[in-house]
Each structure stands twice: as structure tokens, then as C-alpha cells.
Amino acid sequence: MKKNILYLGVAVIIGLIGGYLIFGNSSLSSIPESPDNHNHSEASINEMWTCSMHPQILQSEPGDCPICGMELIPAEASSEGLLANQIQMTENAMALANIETTIVGNLMEGNDDGVISLSGKIATNEENNAIQASYFDGRLEKLNVSFEGQEVKRGQLLATIYSPNLVAAQQELITATSLKESQPALYKAVRNKLKLWKLSASQIDNIELTGEVRENFPLYATVSGTVAMVMAAEGDYLKQGQPILKVSNLNSVWAEFDAYENQISQFKKGQKIKVTTSAYPNKEFDAVISFIDPVLNSSTRTVTVRATLENNESLFKPGMFVSGKIKGTAQVPGESLNIPASAVLWTGERSLVYVKPNPNRPVFEMREVTVGLRSGDNFTVTSGLENGDEIVTNGTFTVDAAAQLQGKKSMMNKSGGKTMTGHEGHLGMQGDSENKSNAMQTMKMKLSKSFQTAFQAALKPYFKMEDAFVDSDASQVSAIAKTTLAKMKAIDVSDLGKMEKSHLSKSIEILGAISASTDLKKQRAQLVVLNENIVALAMNIESPAETLYVQKCPMANSNKGAIWLSTEKEIKNPYYGDDMLTCGSVIEVIK
């Protein structure tokens, strides 16, 4: 009996399970699939991964950060309902990038008091330049002043010249001296001839007195100053009037500033200007505008505004960067808006800012604006913003980089469209700049201590070469590139991996091309590829001897962007030089 009951119970259970499998599945299949199932699948496909330390990195699959090697973490869900020119950033990304915003307000009365800031350089005062020439034909036997920067005093012995014509003239004088009483006119003519050759009266009297002819005749300086150019060398045959030295008197120098086209009406001759320089940050020098270039530079759309500075203490050196502050002559309209200069991204054609439309959400919107005069560290905005708008004033380039990575409209991407990320390309050896990401990316490398030491030694002439690029001096670039090339070739590569060797060999190849060229435009094009490889190696140096700054100009390389390495935080753009000296920003610090 008990056995029958047990069998019956088992049968009931089996029946229930079978009924559930048959009818339960049938009923479930009649229920339409939840749209949520599709959403989860789609979300897993479209999930993006980012780096907690480098939030500009966005990749479609997990892995390691291409910059620091840290494991990627899931990014926050993609922003929905955003406009084409809007992006959303995480709070973490904003904090790491030190993004700051400011609410725009009307230009306050007395703010900077209409002061306009200008950037410029110290130049030699060409009115004080002089040429030291040879006043007679001859061979330059000895040159006592042989390098630029050497000080010259009036009356100093500059050179010794052998001149057949001067030998003959001395013999004529000795003969004429004996006929002084009978033929005074002849005697006087011979003396005047020697005077025209810049011989002093004492020199002429000494020839008469001794009756000796000097074959190698001394040449004395007729001016005082600093040698700006040596124009002859020992052994040269000189013609009468041929220059030997160019001498500059640096007791006064020119401060030459670049003023934009829309600022021209603000300046006039005789205006007072206060000049400062990074060499003496606590000093302000008073000067007066002495010249405004009547011709506009069509490539930079600027004019030169010049002031003369007294330099009796030799504080100013030609080539030194200076800043000038001047109160404009025109009044700024009271209704204009005032924004910090750091908020504006300028492409050469457009001026852009990033606006935060909702103060409670980390959403930013690119907006094109029209800027007016620059007053101190601020721009006046004539259109594109309204009173009360909140704009990004610090970290603007980072926000723009995030927009590029998210395929939104950005500084260099007017119409939008996806740019490359992580696995689609890496910084380095191929030199295909068109296929490089606009974000700072590089690979992890293993560099031995000996390699790092030798590589940092090779960077010293590299930095000097970049200074020559800043000065737009193609011949100097070529010369220093040869020195850098020799240092790079001397590095031991026996303990390097394949990837590390590829970066170094590409650097050596490009340095060879730069050193063999004197075409500045070609050199700068090659510098783009060189820097991609140099920076890739430098990013893997452990505890460098000095802090290194990776800097980027988004307009270089035909608006594709280009990077370079510097020991200074201050931007000095090697791709444009004086034309756009401060275009760029620091995107990475190596220390």
C-alpha cells in the first residue's frame, strides 16, 4: 500500500513538471519579447571604456590605457538627447582636467581700464647700426674681432691689412715731404689722399718722421658697439669700401609688438606703453610708441608697433620676448561682454567658446563667437554670447579634445564625425599624421636605464633645435639637427625591443632629412613625424632629469594637430614661430 502511494506521488510530480514544460513554454512564447532585452544587448555592444587618469581615452572594448597602461573602466552611459554641438563629460573627468567655468557679465567700468596687452620681441635699434668697412684695397692678414657679440671700442685695433696701394701712397708721401717747400700743393694732395683712407694725422706724421713704409697696415675701429655680424675672414681680398663688421650700439633697443588688424585704431605715435619681460618679472619699463608699420602683414593680419627702450644697463637682449600694456585710444562699448582670453579657441577663421547650458549637468556646447578688442587678459565679445551665459575658462582644450573623441563638432572638426580612439592607431613610428588620433596616445615601452640616460643627453641639442625652429632659422635648424643626429646614432640599442628600435630608427631617419635641408617649410613638415617618435620614447622615461612638457598645437600640420616636447611650460610653437608663437597647450607632463 505504501509502495503504491509512493509511486502515485512520483507520477503526480512528473505530470506537473511535464505540464509546465509544455504549457508554460507555450504561454511564455505568446508573450512578446521585452524591449528591455534588446536594450541590454545593445548597451553591452555600445558600452565604452575609459581611463580614470586620462578621461579623454574612449574605447569600444576593455583593455589597458594606451597612455599610462592602467586598466580601463566602464564609461558612464552615453548622453542621450544632446545636440550636435553638445558633449557630456563625467564629473571625474572634469575634476581631473581641472575644468573651470565662469558666468559672463557686462564689461565692468574700470576693468583693466581699457588696457590692451601685446606680445613682442626685443630687436636691435637699426638707427644705431654701423658698418665697419675697409677704406682701401688689400688682403686681410689678421682679424682681431672674429665672433658675434664681441664688444668693440672706437679706436680699437680691428685688423691688419696688406695693401699695395697704401704702400705706394706712403712712398709718395715720403717723396712729397722732401718737396714740401718747393711743391706745397703736391705735398698737401698726398696727405689728403691718406686722410680719405681714414689714416689719422698722427699716423701720417709718423710716416713722414720715420721715412719708413709699413707693408701691413693697422685698421682701427671708427665706431663703438656690439658685433652683430662678421662679414669677412682672414685671408680675404678686400675691395675699397667692402664691409668687415656690422656693429650695433645696444644702448637703446626696439621693442617690436604685433597688433591685430582690429586693434590698429587703438594706437598712435607718442602713446605711453609699459613693457615687461619674463627675465625681470618684477620690473616695468616705460616707453613711447615711436613707429607703427604702415603695411599690414597679410599672412598674420598684424602690424608692427614699435617702442624705443633705453638699455644703458644692458638688461634687454635682442630676441628676448616681452609684453606690453597700453591704454587704447578708443572707448569700449558699455554693452559689450567681457570674457577671459583663456576661454577662446581661435582657428584662424573662427573664434569658439564652450558654454555650459545647464548649471546642474556636466554638458558643454560649442558656440561660435565674434571677439573684439583684447583688453588685458580679457576679450570683448560682440556676438555669440549673452549676459549670464556660463562658459569654460580653464581646460577649454580638454573639453574640445573630448568633443573630437565623441565625434561631435569641435575646433578642428566643424561638421562633426567620429575621430579615432585607442586601438585604431597609436602615436609613433609610421609617420602617417593623417591617421593619428587628436588625443595624446602612446605605447608602453621598456627602456633600460642606460638607454634613458643616453636618450636624455640627446634631447639637449633637440631642445636647441626646437629653439631654432621657433626663431625660424632654417640654417641653424639644419646645423643643430646634425648634432642631435650624432647623439641619437651613438645610443646603444642592443637591449631595446623591436618597437623601441623602430621609434629610434625613425627619429634618426627624420633627423637626417632635417639636417640635409635648408627649406624651413619642409623641415617643419618633417618635425611633425620626428616629434611623434621622440615624444613616444620620452613618455616612457622614468623620473626624467627635468620636468618635460608634451605640448600640442591643433592648427599645425594642416589643422590635423601636431605635438612637441619642451622643458618649459610656456608655449613657444616651433611649427609657426613668430607667426603664431603661443598657439598650443600642455597636454601631458612627464616628471
Side-chain angles (χ1 to χ4, degrees):
M1 184 69 179
K2 289 181 180 178
K3 211 180 262 191
N4 289 338
I5 293 172
L6 179 62
Y7 289 149
L8 181 62
V10 171
V12 170
I13 293 172
I14 293 173
L16 288 172
I17 294 173
Y20 175 81
L21 292 173
I22 295 170
F23 297 103
N25 280 345
S26 172
S27 62
L28 285 172
S29 64
S30 66
I31 299 174
E33 273 189 13
S34 171
D36 190 48
N37 291 340
H38 287 293
N39 286 345
H40 285 304
S41 173
E42 183 179 349
S44 64
I45 294 173
N46 294 329
E47 186 174 15
M48 299 298 290
W49 299 77
T50 187
C51 174
S52 60
M53 294 300 295
H54 300 91
Q56 70 267 33
I57 298 299
L58 287 175
Q59 296 183 172
S60 57
E61 56 186 38
D64 294 333
C65 174
I67 295 177
C68 64
M70 290 181 63
E71 185 177 355
L72 298 179
I73 60 175
E76 289 189 4
S78 60
S79 306
E80 296 180 359
L82 298 181
L83 300 177
N85 59 342
Q86 290 183 339
I87 65 164
Q88 181 166 327
M89 298 181 68
T90 66
E91 296 290 346
N92 185 38
M94 290 179 60
L96 288 170
N98 194 26
I99 292 172
E100 297 176 0
T101 60
T102 301
I103 296 177
V104 177
N106 285 329
L107 184 65
M108 297 293 187
E109 184 178 352
N111 182 38
D112 284 326
D113 203 22
V115 173
I116 300 170
S117 296
L118 299 174
S119 297
K121 289 173 71 174
I122 295 295
T124 58
N125 185 340
E126 294 182 9
E127 294 176 346
N128 293 340
N129 287 347
I131 296 294
Q132 180 69 55
S134 172
Y135 298 104
F136 39 81
D137 297 343
R139 183 177 65 242
L140 187 56
E141 296 291 330
K142 184 173 178 57
L143 184 62
N144 296 326
V145 178
S146 56
F147 60 88
E148 295 177 8
Q150 197 167 351
E151 291 294 325
V152 171
K153 301 287 186 183
R154 182 170 184 159
Q156 175 183 337
L157 178 63
L158 291 183
T160 303
I161 298 176
Y162 167 71
S163 173
N165 290 341
L166 190 56
V167 169
Q170 291 178 79
Q171 291 172 337
E172 288 178 8
L173 176 62
I174 293 169
T175 303
T177 301
S178 62
L179 303 173
K180 180 166 47 175
E181 299 298 332
S182 59
Q183 298 188 44
L186 175 62
Y187 168 75
K188 187 176 181 180
V190 173
R191 282 186 66 96
N192 286 339
K193 180 179 180 180
L194 292 173
K195 285 181 180 179
L196 292 174
W197 282 345
K198 297 296 182 180
L199 270 68
S200 65
S202 61
Q203 286 177 308
I204 297 172
D205 291 340
N206 188 57
I207 295 171
E208 287 187 32
L209 182 63
T210 61
E212 294 179 0
V213 175
R214 298 188 64 171
E215 292 186 353
N216 295 331
F217 211 82
L219 180 68
Y220 296 99
T222 56
V223 293
S224 297
T226 303
V227 176
M229 185 183 300
V230 179
M231 309 173 76
E234 290 183 1
D236 286 353
Y237 282 85
L238 306 176
K239 294 290 185 182
Q240 184 175 352
Q242 182 174 333
I244 299 175
L245 301 172
K246 181 180 180 181
V247 180
S248 298
N249 188 331
L250 298 181
N251 287 337
S252 69
V253 293
W254 285 342
E256 295 185 331
F257 301 96
D258 291 325
Y260 290 105
E261 188 174 0
N262 62 354
Q263 296 176 319
I264 295 175
S265 62
Q266 296 288 305
F267 308 115
K268 65 181 181 180
K269 288 176 67 174
Q271 272 181 291
K272 293 181 179 179
I273 182 169
K274 292 195 175 292
V275 180
T276 57
T277 174
S278 56
Y280 311 102
N282 299 322
K283 285 188 176 183
E284 233 177 24
F285 302 91
D286 294 321
V288 174
I289 292 179
S290 57
F291 174 78
I292 300 175
D293 198 331
V295 179
L296 183 78
N297 186 321
S298 58
S299 61
T300 61
R301 310 304 301 172
T302 61
V303 296
T304 299
V305 176
R306 179 190 300 157
T308 303
L309 290 167
E310 293 300 320
N311 193 33
N312 294 324
E313 298 180 14
S314 299
L315 298 179
F316 298 105
K317 317 293 183 186
M320 183 183 285
F321 291 106
V322 291
S323 300
K325 290 188 176 181
I326 185 170
K327 186 174 181 180
T329 59
Q331 295 298 317
V332 178
E335 296 298 319
S336 62
L337 296 175
N338 180 51
I339 65 172
S342 61
V344 181
L345 299 175
W346 185 64
T347 69
E349 298 176 353
R350 301 180 298 147
S351 297
L352 308 172
V353 298
Y354 276 92
V355 178
K356 191 177 182 184
N358 187 335
N360 300 318
R361 292 185 63 197
V363 174
F364 300 96
E365 171 184 308
M366 188 192 77
R367 191 176 297 177
E368 191 166 333
V369 297
T370 303
V371 297
L373 297 174
R374 178 166 181 163
S375 178
D377 293 327
N378 299 312
F379 277 117
T380 56
V381 176
T382 56
S383 66
L385 288 176
E386 296 181 1
N387 194 18
D389 283 342
E390 187 175 357
I391 63 171
V392 177
T393 53
N394 189 62
T396 317
F397 273 107
T398 303
V399 176
D400 189 75
Q404 293 182 41
L405 289 167
Q406 294 182 28
K408 297 300 182 75
K409 293 181 179 180
S410 59
M411 182 181 180
M412 291 298 135
N413 193 4
K414 191 173 183 179
S415 58
K418 193 68 177 173
T419 58
M420 285 198 324
T421 57
H423 292 291
E424 297 167 349
H426 290 282
L427 179 72
M429 56 197 165
Q430 299 303 318
D432 184 1
S433 301
E434 293 184 7
N435 294 325
K436 296 294 180 289
S437 167
N438 285 329
M440 178 63 215
Q441 301 179 22
T442 188
M443 296 180 181
K444 292 295 288 181
M445 301 183 197
K446 293 181 179 179
L447 305 177
S448 66
K449 294 292 184 183
S450 59
F451 175 86
Q452 293 183 41
T453 302
F455 181 71
Q456 290 185 80
L459 286 180
K460 291 182 179 179
Y462 160 84
F463 291 127
K464 291 182 179 179
M465 182 183 69
E466 285 206 331
D467 290 339
F469 271 111
V470 171
D471 293 336
S472 301
D473 189 337
S475 59
Q476 190 73 352
V477 166
S478 177
I480 303 177
K482 291 178 183 177
T483 305
T484 312
L485 176 61
K487 290 277 188 182
M488 290 286 185
K489 283 184 174 180
I491 298 176
D492 182 10
V493 297
S494 58
D495 55 358
L496 291 184
K498 183 177 179 181
M499 178 176 63
E500 291 82 355
K501 286 180 180 177
S502 297
H503 282 286
L504 183 62
S505 63
K506 190 67 180 179
S507 301
I508 290 172
E509 177 190 334
I510 300 301
L511 279 167
I514 292 174
S515 64
S517 173
T518 54
D519 185 326
L520 186 62
K521 187 175 181 180
K522 290 181 180 178
Q523 288 175 330
R524 280 178 167 154
Q526 292 155 344
L527 180 65
V528 174
V529 182
L530 173 66
N531 279 332
E532 288 171 352
N533 291 276
I534 290 287
V535 171
L537 290 167
M539 289 285 291
N540 290 276
I541 296 176
E542 300 172 3
S543 302
E546 56 184 329
T547 302
L548 303 176
Y549 299 92
V550 181
Q551 300 174 338
K552 179 179 178 181
C553 172
M555 296 181 64
N557 192 24
S558 302
N559 287 338
K560 300 182 188 74
I563 57 174
W564 69 95
L565 197 64
S566 177
T567 56
E568 299 178 7
K569 192 174 182 180
E570 181 184 359
I571 301 297
K572 295 179 183 178
N573 193 316
Y575 297 108
Y576 291 105
D578 285 342
D579 291 344
M580 294 176 61
L581 184 66
T582 59
C583 177
S585 64
V586 175
I587 62 172
E588 199 73 35
V589 180
I590 308 170
K591 58 182 179 179

